[in-house]
């Protein structure tokens, strides 16, 4: 992770409160994907999934032209095909830099964020801003499918082990499993990251008990949010070979931002609905 040594991640930072796009720091996606044994997106190669990283930022404020503070929530959607992700602490510092800058309208703020972050990640993105009143009306997470967390098991593996994934016998089926027990670690600071993970598939039945054991095996594993979900997608494809597969992670917020990677070979991104821990 030497390429992160000059970024704000894991270091004390001065908070700039005048609009400063230069605070944003890119992180190459392919550095994190090396462990997935995926080839870079050269001509003739492609990812085994499509997807979007949905970022929700809760610390955004600016001044109107009259100097009155405004607060809002920000949703960013970044395609998984961009060459870079944005380093999360740099995004926090960047959004905080709006605090004492005057803007003519909310749309001017939205346009500035969209332009600056798109330039950082190297591709088109979508940005939405919500007032608190608008955000309060957005739908929340709904439990659907089978939650594996209540399965009574003995656990021995707390180190990453994809071989724990098993399939049950029987005909092809369409199913959905989810767990609130996913924990991993930031590869730079080693801080724990917590998430709900949803798996939707069509193929041989994925054993719920084996999926739970696999989720728990990631408990001490290091990886960025995007990398963890992509690792899960690659592992499920390798171990269970589903015809259709979606993996969706809803990570709890850190630094006023939550990151929610969506990877699928068959679906478009699921709704951006906050879980109870978000």
């Amino acid at each position: 992770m030497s390429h992160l040594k000059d970024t704000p991640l894991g270091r004390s930072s001065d908070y700039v409160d005048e609009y400063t796009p230069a605070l944003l720091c890119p992180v190459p996606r392919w550095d994190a994907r090396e462990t997935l044994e995926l080839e870079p997106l050269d001509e003739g190669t492609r990812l085994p999934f499509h997807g979007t990283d949905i970022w929700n930022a809760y610390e955004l404020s600016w001044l109107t032209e009259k100097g009155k503070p405004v607060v809002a929530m920000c949703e960013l959607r970044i395609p998984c095909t961009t060459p870079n992700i944005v380093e999360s602490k740099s995004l926090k510092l960047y959004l905080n830099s709006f605090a004492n800058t005057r803007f003519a309208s909310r749309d001017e703020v939205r346009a500035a964020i969209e332009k600056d972050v798109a330039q950082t990640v190297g591709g088109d993105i979508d940005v939405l801003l919500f007032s608190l009143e608008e955000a309060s009306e957005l739908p929340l997470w709904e439990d659907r499918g089978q939650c594996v967390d209540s399965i009574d098991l003995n656990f021995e593996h707390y180190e990453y082990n994809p071989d724990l994934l098993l399939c049950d016998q029987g005909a092809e089926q369409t199913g959905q499993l989810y767990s609130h027990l996913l924990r991993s670690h930031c590869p730079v600071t080693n801080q724990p990251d917590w998430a709900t993970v949803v798996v939707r598939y069509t193929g041989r039945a994925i054993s719920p008990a084996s999926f739970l054991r696999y989720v728990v095996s990631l408990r001490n594993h290091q990886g960025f949010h995007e990398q963890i979900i992509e690792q899960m997608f690659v592992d499920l494809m390798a171990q269970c070979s589903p015809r259709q597969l979606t993996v969706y992670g809803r990570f709890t917020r850190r630094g006023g931002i939550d990151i929610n990677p969506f990877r699928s070979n068959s679906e478009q991104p699921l709704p951006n609905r906050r879980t109870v821990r978000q």
Side-chain angles (χ1 to χ4, degrees), residues 231-249:
Q231 185 73 67
M232 297 185 77
F233 185 99
V234 170
D235 290 342
L236 284 158
M237 288 298 296
Q239 300 296 122
C240 300
S241 303
R243 184 162 52 85
Q244 296 180 341
L245 178 63
T246 294
V247 183
Y248 187 24

Side-chain angles (χ1 to χ4, degrees), residues 166-173 201 203-208:
L166 301 171
C167 290
D168 293 332
Q169 297 296 319
E172 177 179 286
Q173 70 172 48
Y201 69 93
R204 291 185 296 165
I206 299 172
S207 163

Side-chain angles (χ1 to χ4, degrees), residues 130-163:
F130 300 98
S131 69
L132 299 190
E133 292 78 10
E134 292 167 340
S136 68
E137 296 177 356
L138 296 174
L140 298 178
W141 164 271
E142 295 179 358
D143 288 344
R144 294 183 178 179
Q146 179 181 356
C147 181
V148 300
D149 299 347
S150 61
I151 300 174
D152 188 16
L153 299 171
N154 292 322
F155 292 89
E156 300 175 356
H157 299 279
Y158 301 101
E159 301 297 332
Y160 167 61
N161 186 356
D163 292 335

Side-chain angles (χ1 to χ4, degrees), residues 19-73:
Y19 172 57
T20 309
L23 290 167
L24 291 167
C25 294
V27 176
R29 285 191 188 272
W30 284 105
D31 289 351
R33 284 174 175 162
E34 287 180 348
T35 59
L36 303 181
E37 299 182 357
L38 299 177
E39 295 296 327
L41 287 179
D42 297 324
E43 186 176 355
T45 64
R46 66 186 186 90
L47 294 168
F49 46 71
H50 57 259
T52 301
D53 302 325
I54 304 172
W55 296 56
N56 296 310
Y58 303 89
E59 297 178 4
L60 176 61
S61 181
W62 65 92
L63 303 178
T64 68
E65 290 185 317
K66 293 182 178 181
K68 183 179 180 179
V70 179
V71 295
M73 288 174 53

